[in-house]
Amino acid sequence: MKNTALSNVHIALGAKMVPFAGYNMPVSYSGLNDEHNTVRQAVGVFDVSHMGEFILKGPHALDLIQRVTSNDASLLTDGKVQYSCLPNEKGGIVDDLLVYRIDSSAYLLVVNASNIEKDWNWISARNTKGVEMKNISEETSLLAVQGPKAAATLQKLTHINLSEIPYYAFRKGTFCGVENVLVSNTGYTGAGGFELYFPNAVAEKVWKEIFEAGKEFGIKPIGLGARDTLRLEMGFCLYGNDIDDSTSPIEAGLGWITKFTKEFTNSKTFLEQKEKGVQKKLVGFEMLERGIPRHDYEIVDAFGNIIGKVTSGTQSPSLQKGIGMGYVPAALAKADSEIFIRVRDKNLKAKVVKVPFWKN
């Protein structure tokens, strides 16, 4: 089990630690609902240093990214970020990721913790033009500071004007006296905020100073449990739950990151799916009867026929109702379609809704 540079800090704070993607990670501190509401109403800090980071450099870096990702990275300018995915040859997804353009010949790819080795091998196997690749995951710490008071907290610690960093953009500069910190705005919570990438050696210093700066706003550390409920309220996909090696981006509602202005892995299959339609689609749903939908619960139709499975589900702390996502036949994917979730042998009524579930 690997530790992040801050694992001892979490343990000292009394966090409940769990194994996640090969790392010893905090799942909760003060309790899921309290942490969730702290991020929605004030400011919370997530240690997400388990995520993977690759640097790709050289004149052919963009060409490699274009061939292995579904989105069109040629649209990026310096300081911009793009959400994308790595499609596979079977019509599924190797991983979803973020592509940061540092300059025309240097990019940062941020990948899921559980897929670091898999993604590295996948991209490396397609690196046929000598792109310089460096895996900096082990030496990089990453904090996500999220919530309406995140900007006011962090602005005290940097001369970077945070109000000038639009959504899906980043700046590099001095933060907490540490040079060359990458500050981005790509939040996974829908509550606003920033991500900070810096070397492991300064992790405890940065953590301490952020908490000092946020004290007046009631800043709290936040675990993976609340990260999951926050992202689910926004209808954001989680790799391994809502998308995986067998789900296509078109089925998952990720057609917006699947651009056919270029050729990429298996692009012909996805174009065909877009033009002809797919048989199943990932939808959001909310419970109309009391019950909490959980991962892998069966989705059934009005006659009790199994039509799918819940990929993500929870009792929404913000909405105080059961919400979830799952794949259903395309005919039942329209908003307000009636479906049922099998909870402890009872078929409980739910309806398909447009995501996000929580609207700020």
Side-chain angles (χ1 to χ4, degrees):
M1 195 64 61
K2 293 178 184 173
N3 288 310
T4 74
L6 291 163
S7 289
N8 288 335
V9 172
H10 305 313
I11 292 164
L13 288 168
K16 182 184 176 188
M17 305 294 284
V18 297
F20 181 81
Y23 281 81
N24 190 24
M25 297 294 290
V27 70
S28 66
Y29 301 82
S30 57
L32 189 147
N33 286 343
D34 180 60
E35 292 169 38
H36 181 108
N37 292 329
T38 294
V39 174
R40 284 275 178 255
Q41 295 158 17
V43 57
V45 184
F46 302 79
D47 177 14
V48 281
S49 306
H50 61 315
M51 298 289 282
E53 295 88 13
F54 308 152
I55 299 283
L56 271 59
K57 275 185 179 177
H60 300 294
L62 177 60
D63 171 76
L64 175 56
I65 290 166
Q66 288 289 74
R67 287 187 288 112
V68 298
T69 66
S70 62
N71 210 334
D72 188 354
S74 72
L75 301 173
L76 287 171
T77 53
D78 295 359
K80 295 290 185 184
V81 191
Q82 188 179 74
Y83 179 55
S84 194
C85 76
L86 299 170
N88 65 26
E89 272 112 4
K90 299 180 297 183
I93 299 170
V94 177
D95 201 6
D96 60 337
L97 75 162
L98 294 175
V99 179
Y100 287 65
R101 175 168 150 149
I102 296 161
D103 60 45
S104 62
S105 61
Y107 294 81
L108 168 70
L109 307 186
V110 182
V111 304
N112 283 299
S114 54
N115 291 334
I116 293 173
E117 186 180 357
K118 172 186 167 191
D119 293 356
W120 177 265
N121 292 341
W122 181 267
I123 298 167
S124 297
R126 286 148 186 82
N127 181 12
T128 53
K129 297 180 183 176
V131 175
E132 182 189 335
M133 291 177 60
K134 190 177 181 189
N135 182 355
I136 60 166
S137 309
E138 295 279 338
E139 62 209 55
T140 305
S141 285
L142 170 56
L143 295 181
V145 184
Q146 297 283 296
K149 296 295 182 185
T153 297
L154 299 178
Q155 194 59 74
K156 299 178 185 182
L157 303 169
T158 183
H159 292 302
I160 300 168
N161 188 338
L162 299 179
S163 68
E164 291 180 356
I165 306 179
Y167 196 42
Y168 272 73
F170 70 95
R171 301 282 184 274
K172 277 188 167 187
T174 302
F175 183 87
C176 287
V178 180
E179 292 179 11
N180 211 30
V181 174
L182 191 154
V183 182
S184 69
N185 176 2
T186 66
Y188 195 52
T189 65
F194 299 89
E195 300 78 44
L196 309 162
Y197 297 81
F198 48 85
N200 289 343
V202 296
E204 289 197 22
K205 165 188 160 70
V206 171
W207 176 276
K208 190 177 173 185
E209 292 193 29
I210 289 171
F211 275 83
E212 196 58 43
K215 196 180 279 183
E216 65 171 300
F217 306 119
I219 194 168
K220 289 180 182 176
I222 314 294
L224 292 175
R227 184 171 184 250
D228 196 47
T229 55
L230 288 157
R231 71 91 194 165
L232 181 49
E233 287 184 348
M234 294 307 297
F236 293 148
C237 290
L238 176 65
Y239 193 88
N241 281 39
D242 314 298
I243 51 176
D244 59 32
D245 288 298
S246 67
T247 58
S248 109
I250 308 301
E251 292 170 339
L254 298 176
W256 61 280
I257 64 163
T258 312
K259 303 287 170 59
F260 300 105
T261 48
K262 55 162 198 166
E263 280 195 20
F264 57 88
T265 309
N266 210 6
S267 52
K268 285 177 183 166
T269 296
F270 302 119
L271 180 58
E272 196 174 300
Q273 287 182 346
K274 189 173 185 180
E275 290 172 345
K276 294 183 179 175
V278 288
Q279 292 187 321
K280 63 176 183 176
K281 286 185 178 178
L282 182 66
V283 298
F285 64 84
E286 62 180 41
M287 301 300 295
L288 298 176
E289 296 184 82
R290 259 177 94 91
I292 303 173
R294 301 287 185 198
H295 176 65
D296 271 351
Y297 280 13
E298 290 169 343
I299 303 175
V300 301
D301 63 16
F303 305 102
N305 301 308
I306 297 168
I307 56 170
K309 277 187 177 178
V310 176
T311 55
S312 290
T314 193
Q315 175 74 6
S316 163
S318 301
L319 305 173
Q320 293 294 299
K321 66 173 80 167
I323 61 169
M325 297 198 292
Y327 288 89
V328 299
L332 287 172
K334 291 188 180 73
D336 295 323
S337 295
E338 184 180 85
I339 57 174
F340 296 81
I341 311 301
R342 191 162 283 165
V343 181
R344 295 195 189 91
D345 295 328
K346 285 185 181 173
N347 296 344
L348 303 180
K349 195 179 287 188
K351 72 171 179 180
V352 173
V353 296
K354 284 186 176 178
V355 295
F357 300 96
W358 184 81
K359 294 165 182 73
N360 189 351

